Amino acid sequence: MPSLLPMAISLVTSSAAAFGNSSATTSAINTTGANCLIMWIGAWRGTQPAPSVAVSDSKGNTWTALNGSGNSTTDGCFFYCLNPTVGSGHTATVNNSVNANWACICLMSFSGVGSVDTPQSTSVSSALVTSLATGSVTPNQANSLIVAGLQYYDFGNSGIVPSINSGFTRVAELHLNSQAPDTCVGYLIQSAAAAVNPTFSFGSTNPVATSAAAVFGPQLSGLRQLAALGAG
């Protein structure tokens, strides 16, 4: 009996949007081939933490919130949907009816994500920092997907371009205006089942920031090993 092998996870496509009001909708993308959708929501906090905002997409999928992170200024949270309905013209929307300010959203679609693995998550927030780590996450399997999101307010210093530690691919960076919080999102395919602590850095600037990370395992399949045996 061949052992199960992890399938390769890859980004299919992504889209992001930011608006200075209670609603944000991404531009339409083609998510065909994806089996996992991940949404990062960032907001100006006020009275409603990010996990409580209403999220939806044009394909009618059901979304599950992971741990949110927030402080008196910024909020951030990941949402996900496994085995979703996908296709062309795919958009995502966030509505924050309680605190109608500065909604940011990033929609990412991935293939090869395990449909039965339980995503792990961690989050942290702080004020006036030059860097902010999400907190360490350890995948259960090699070749897992790690996503990291950042929401920050730079007190009008719109020149900030956050960096994220080596290996992460930046998917989105949103700057609405000098008075609004900004968002940065990245991902990493972690080749080993080893701990990673995604860290965003701001140089010499000290924004108020919140960040979060989540882990998704790969699909497992024995078909690749069967094919290799047959080819021999």
Side-chain angles (χ1 to χ4, degrees):
M1 183 70 179
S3 60
L4 296 177
L5 298 177
M7 298 181 67
I9 296 176
S10 61
L11 177 71
V12 175
T13 188
S14 65
S15 183
F19 292 97
N21 52 41
S22 62
S23 177
T25 298
T26 62
S27 58
I29 55 177
N30 189 345
T31 55
T32 299
N35 76 331
C36 179
L37 302 177
I38 302 174
M39 194 187 307
W40 168 256
I41 301 297
W44 185 281
R45 181 171 185 173
T47 58
Q48 187 173 17
S52 300
V53 299
V55 299
S56 61
D57 68 354
S58 59
K59 302 298 183 181
N61 291 302
T62 299
W63 294 85
T64 300
L66 294 174
N67 290 343
S69 179
N71 50 49
S72 61
T73 305
T74 57
D75 267 316
C77 183
F78 278 111
F79 293 76
Y80 73 96
C81 178
L82 292 173
N83 298 319
T85 299
V86 296
S88 61
H90 203 156
T91 63
T93 298
V94 55
N95 285 291
N96 188 351
S97 59
V98 174
N99 178 32
N101 283 292
W102 320 124
C104 298
I105 180 173
C106 177
L107 172 65
M108 298 171 284
S109 62
F110 291 89
S111 62
V113 175
S115 60
V116 297
D117 287 1
T118 302
Q120 308 169 11
S121 67
T122 185
S123 61
V124 67
S125 64
S126 185
L128 304 178
V129 292
T130 56
S131 66
L132 184 63
T134 66
S136 180
V137 290
T138 304
N140 292 323
Q141 305 168 67
N143 302 306
S144 290
L145 167 67
I146 301 174
V147 290
L150 171 75
Q151 186 76 357
Y152 63 99
Y153 178 56
D154 56 12
F155 301 97
N157 183 4
S158 57
I160 292 180
V161 179
S163 62
I164 185 170
N165 45 324
S166 178
F168 277 83
T169 299
R170 188 156 31 192
V171 174
E173 186 178 324
L174 300 174
H175 299 277
L176 183 59
N177 60 51
S178 63
Q179 299 302 314
D182 300 315
T183 280
C184 183
V185 184
Y187 77 94
L188 169 71
I189 308 301
Q190 174 68 335
S191 59
V196 177
N197 192 7
T199 303
F200 295 92
S201 298
F202 307 100
S204 60
T205 309
N206 301 95
V208 176
T210 186
S211 64
V215 181
F216 297 84
Q219 283 183 318
L220 298 177
S221 174
L223 296 179
R224 290 168 60 187
Q225 187 170 359
L226 284 172
L229 291 173

